[in-house]
Amino acid sequence: MNAHITSVEAILVDLPTIRAHQLSMATMQQQTMVIVRLRSSDGIEGIGEATTIGGLSYGEESPEGIKLTIDTYLAPALIGQDATNVNGAMLKLSKVARGNRVAKCGIETALLDAQGKRLGVPVSTLLGGAVRKTLPVLWTLASGDTARDIDEAEMFLAERRHHTFKLKIGRRGVRDDVAHVSKIKAALGDRANVTVDVNQAWSEVEAVRGIEALEAAGVDLIEQPTPREQRGALARLAARFIVPIMADEGVAGPEDALELVQGACADVFALKIAKSGGLYPMLRTAAIADAAGVSLYGGTMLEGSIGSIASAHGFCALAQLAWGTELFGPLLLKDDIVTARPLYRDFDLHLPEGPGLGLEIDEDKLAFYRRDKRG
Ligand code: MUC
Ligand code: MG
């Protein structure tokens, strides 16, 4: 099969959220995503998404920087390359640009989408096959208001949309956070699982105090309590507490995973295609966890439908996914830029069945929400 890459476009898209989403490092009123459109000489177009959270406050790449990286460095290196050889194209990019994993993830997704369409198979088939077609999806309670969070959880339990809720903490003091989480857990009882994500906000001393109280309150999982570089602190917390400790920011790709398993730093890894640099590096990260007996969780960078469904194809191909996923990004957004929004039903996200990602861009919506076309 012969086809070469003819163009790569990176489009900044701003979509409003259904409510403010408060994390320890940022409050989101909208999500900005970089949509990648990769065209080939056989007329096939692949789509991808490169998305981060809160500008530069979450990671080292910003949406504007990702677009610049793709336009200036990655796209020119890809033009003329074999569109059917994802490994070859990504190897070329690894020589042109160090790091820049989120940008590379958007490109790799577009290459896989195009190749799936070309061969008439879903992306999960290109990855070796889906061992599941549905994924459990939790919801993040992050309105910043305890009563509103409880109402939200009750609504989604009743709708059978989510039975696990993640609480974003670390913005306030430990005592206030513990009170907030304990109230929500007490209101929901055994009807729901409750996890917390501290997004690196605690010192080790604060973490010891906080986790002890959260464990007693019945919290099921503690995500990235301490700064990502402080692997020793994470290891000591994992050894000290029964409640599982999950690494998120601390485990970007396989190199971090190797260090973390060698130091017995975490019980669970949050996998994300964006921080790993794409679906294949995410799978390589998972392989290290599998070898070490570390449990897996399907994470999100709060991507829209394209990035979330790309993640879903990868997570469906994993041998184990003990902690389910948080692929709720599309549900946090007021609107979408794909023609058919992902299907969430009975606590699960359902993997689309069409070739490639199984998604199509809604051109009118894209035209409306793209930043360069708005006043
Ligand atoms: C993160 O750090 O996990 C995932 C869900 C959510 O609400 O925020 C993200 C980021
Ligand atoms: Mg996290």
Side-chain angles (χ1 to χ4, degrees):
M1 206 173 300
N2 232 330
H4 61 270
I5 300 169
T6 53
S7 74
V8 182
E9 194 184 353
I11 307 161
L12 283 166
V13 172
D14 299 305
L15 277 174
T17 55
I18 55 169
R19 59 147 167 75
H21 197 66
Q22 290 197 1
L23 295 81
S24 73
M25 82 306 287
T27 298
M28 299 166 59
Q29 305 279 359
Q30 60 164 39
Q31 177 58 304
T32 299
M33 47 202 75
V34 183
I35 302 301
V36 176
R37 306 188 80 158
L38 183 144
R39 299 180 182 94
S40 317
S41 56
D42 57 359
I44 291 181
E45 181 190 72
I47 55 176
E49 180 180 336
T51 293
T52 184
I53 293 171
L56 273 174
S57 62
Y58 192 96
E60 288 93 354
E61 294 169 85
S62 68
E64 297 76 15
I66 290 166
K67 176 171 165 50
L68 181 104
T69 299
I70 294 174
D71 290 348
T72 312
Y73 298 100
L74 307 188
L78 286 169
I79 307 299
Q81 294 292 308
D82 182 354
T84 69
N85 188 340
V86 180
N87 289 339
M90 296 312 291
L91 187 61
K92 173 106 198 263
L93 292 190
S94 73
K95 293 179 177 148
V96 170
R98 292 190 185 273
N100 289 281
R101 291 167 191 245
V102 182
K104 286 175 183 169
C105 172
I107 302 274
E108 194 218 47
T109 302
L111 283 163
L112 285 166
D113 180 46
Q115 185 64 355
K117 287 175 177 161
R118 196 170 282 122
L119 299 177
V121 297
V123 167
S124 58
T125 301
L126 297 178
L127 303 176
V131 300
R132 58 186 76 75
K133 293 288 176 66
T134 60
L135 295 163
V137 177
L138 63 67
W139 177 254
T140 298
L141 299 169
S143 72
D145 179 83
T146 309
R148 183 166 176 189
D149 282 355
I150 293 171
D151 288 350
E152 229 177 73
E154 291 290 3
M155 184 172 79
F156 293 143
L157 275 170
E159 284 177 14
R160 296 177 56 78
R161 213 181 76 178
H162 308 281
H163 53 55
T164 299
F165 299 96
K166 160 160 145 173
L167 277 50
K168 298 301 251 186
I169 59 174
R171 202 184 176 90
R172 299 174 282 203
V174 174
R175 193 191 295 255
D176 289 345
D177 271 340
V178 168
H180 168 74
V181 177
S182 303
K183 273 187 206 143
I184 293 175
K185 179 60 193 169
L188 302 176
D190 291 338
R191 295 177 298 130
N193 305 310
V194 170
T195 73
V196 298
D197 188 357
V198 194
N199 283 119
Q200 319 184 64
W202 284 344
S203 67
E204 188 174 352
V205 170
E206 288 171 319
V208 168
R209 214 181 315 132
I211 296 171
E212 195 163 67
L214 293 172
E215 194 173 61
V219 167
D220 295 288
L221 181 69
I222 311 284
E223 179 172 344
Q224 198 69 55
T226 44
R228 64 176 187 184
E229 304 81 10
Q230 295 173 16
R231 292 182 174 140
L234 207 63
R236 286 186 289 278
L237 295 169
R240 180 169 183 145
F241 292 105
I242 291 171
V243 61
I245 306 289
M246 179 160 80
D248 179 11
E249 288 90 327
V251 58
E255 301 80 7
D256 288 329
L258 189 60
E259 298 269 339
L260 289 178
V261 303
Q262 281 169 346
C265 299
D267 305 293
V268 187
F269 286 170
L271 301 169
K272 294 182 186 174
I273 62 170
K275 66 180 179 178
S276 300
L279 285 126
Y280 284 121
M282 181 278 287
L283 295 175
R284 291 196 282 274
T285 312
I288 292 172
D290 286 343
V294 170
S295 303
L296 293 175
Y297 172 90
T300 181
M301 248 355 171
L302 299 175
E303 290 104 331
S305 293
I306 297 170
S308 298
I309 292 300
S311 305
H313 280 279
F315 297 157
C316 282
L318 292 170
Q320 58 110 349
L321 190 61
W323 290 87
T325 80
E326 56 179 15
L327 292 179
F328 66 87
L331 297 169
L332 187 65
L333 302 175
K334 267 200 188 135
D335 205 353
D336 216 319
I337 55 155
V338 295
T339 51
R341 300 191 86 173
L343 176 64
Y344 293 87
R345 197 198 298 137
D346 285 332
F347 307 111
D348 285 344
L349 167 63
H350 295 248
L351 193 65
E353 295 205 329
L357 294 174
L359 296 173
E360 236 179 90
I361 297 233
D362 180 325
E363 300 295 346
D364 293 338
K365 290 281 180 66
L366 178 64
F368 182 77
Y369 288 110
R370 57 188 294 162
R371 191 180 286 182
D372 57 7
K373 292 286 162 64
R374 309 188 89 203

